[in-house]
Amino acid sequence: MTRLTVPKTYKLYIGGKFPRSESGRTYEVATKKGAFLANAALASRKDARDAVVAARAAFSGWSGATGYNRGQVLYRIAELLEGRREQFIDELMATESLSKAAATAQLDTAIDAWVWYAGWADKYVQVAGNGNPVSGPYFNLSTPEPTGVIAIVAPQESSSLLGLVSVIAPALVSGNTVVVVAHQGAPLSAISLSEVLATSDVPGGVVNILTGSPAEIAPWLASHADVNGLDLAGAEQLEWVDLQIAAADTLKRVSGPVVGVPAPSIERVVQWTETKTVWHTKSLI
């Protein structure tokens, strides 16, 4: 008996669950040669708003966890990626027309990036914070705190998995929650990553992944009053100046477009933090 192929319909990842787009829309994901691979959800404005609500609800718990705990959670994601490497390699080969060696190299680099950022979770405060010399019998201390909900446009040109990891991981290190628009043409590894997140220790709502058109979704995220930061790493082909203007209306912190995939750096962690300075009287004996 000949079996029928059962194409998979990839869904969104919002609040730790896998809903279809509220609009019911989907779009076809194809190989570079045009062969059908799967259907993916085409996220709408309502989906973006739902994702922001979920990210805001998860913020207090995630930001309130210790740096050591967040580091362990991020490291667990790397472990799970390692355990599903064949699936990710196959998806990268299909959607980006990569050789097995190139797909393996991209996956390995993505896993290494998770581990690298996980290691910073309980250390970045020592680098970004400091004790300030002041005149008088006081301690004056500056320490970084998370910005809040970060909306992200993932890199769109290439390296769909590595690009996604490179923008999500640094925002999570300090306790931010994220809403990310995945690579539009190669979203399969993004949804597979969300399946990894759902089976890891990451609380629901900490990471929310939308598939579809960045040009359609990004303006709503840029103007959303409950989004605190906007990462336009993958917005080079969009009207990103207009997105910056929309973000300015609600005083968001904005990071501009990046050519290629952002390399791991402590600067990408610190850019999504706010510095808090406190004074404390020295004890007098």
Side-chain angles (χ1 to χ4, degrees), residues 175-227:
N176 298 295
T177 56
V178 303
V179 177
V180 59
V181 185
H183 190 299
Q184 182 175 5
L188 305 193
S189 58
I191 302 303
S192 292
L193 176 62
S194 71
E195 293 172 355
V196 167
L197 295 172
T199 55
S200 72
D201 300 324
V202 179
V206 170
V207 179
N208 303 274
I209 299 178
L210 305 176
T211 55
S213 169
E216 177 182 350
I217 305 169
W220 302 117
L221 293 173
S223 61
H224 198 299
D226 211 22
V227 171

Side-chain angles (χ1 to χ4, degrees), residues 45 90 95 146 151 157 160 165 174 202 220 222-223 229 240 248 277 279:
R45 174 189 180 185
D90 288 345
T95 55
E157 297 302 310
S160 57
V165 168
S174 62
V202 179
W220 302 117
S223 61
W240 59 271
T277 299
W279 294 70

Side-chain angles (χ1 to χ4, degrees), residues 21-143:
S21 172
E22 61 81 31
S23 66
R25 300 181 302 168
T26 62
Y27 69 102
E28 292 188 357
V29 181
T31 66
K32 295 288 187 181
K33 296 182 178 180
F36 176 82
L37 287 174
N39 293 307
L42 187 60
S44 67
R45 174 189 180 185
K46 177 63 164 54
D47 297 318
R49 293 172 63 185
D50 289 345
V52 173
V53 170
R56 176 58 61 193
F59 175 71
S60 61
W62 182 242
S63 62
T66 65
Y68 175 80
N69 179 252
R70 287 197 298 270
Q72 291 297 298
V73 171
L74 292 179
Y75 186 78
R76 177 60 179 158
I77 296 170
E79 290 180 333
L80 293 172
L81 282 170
E82 187 73 48
R84 296 176 63 168
R85 60 185 301 111
E86 292 304 319
Q87 174 190 353
F88 281 96
I89 289 170
D90 288 345
E91 289 174 342
L92 290 171
M93 290 172 63
T95 55
E96 298 185 34
S97 297
L98 300 177
S99 66
K100 186 169 184 177
T104 301
Q106 183 180 158
L107 174 63
D108 289 343
T109 305
I111 293 172
D112 291 347
W114 272 119
V115 174
W116 193 88
Y117 280 115
W120 275 107
D122 60 353
K123 302 175 184 68
Y124 81 95
V125 173
Q126 288 87 335
V127 175
N130 56 272
N132 308 307
V134 293
S135 177
Y138 306 102
F139 293 111
N140 185 267
L141 305 173
S142 294
T143 186

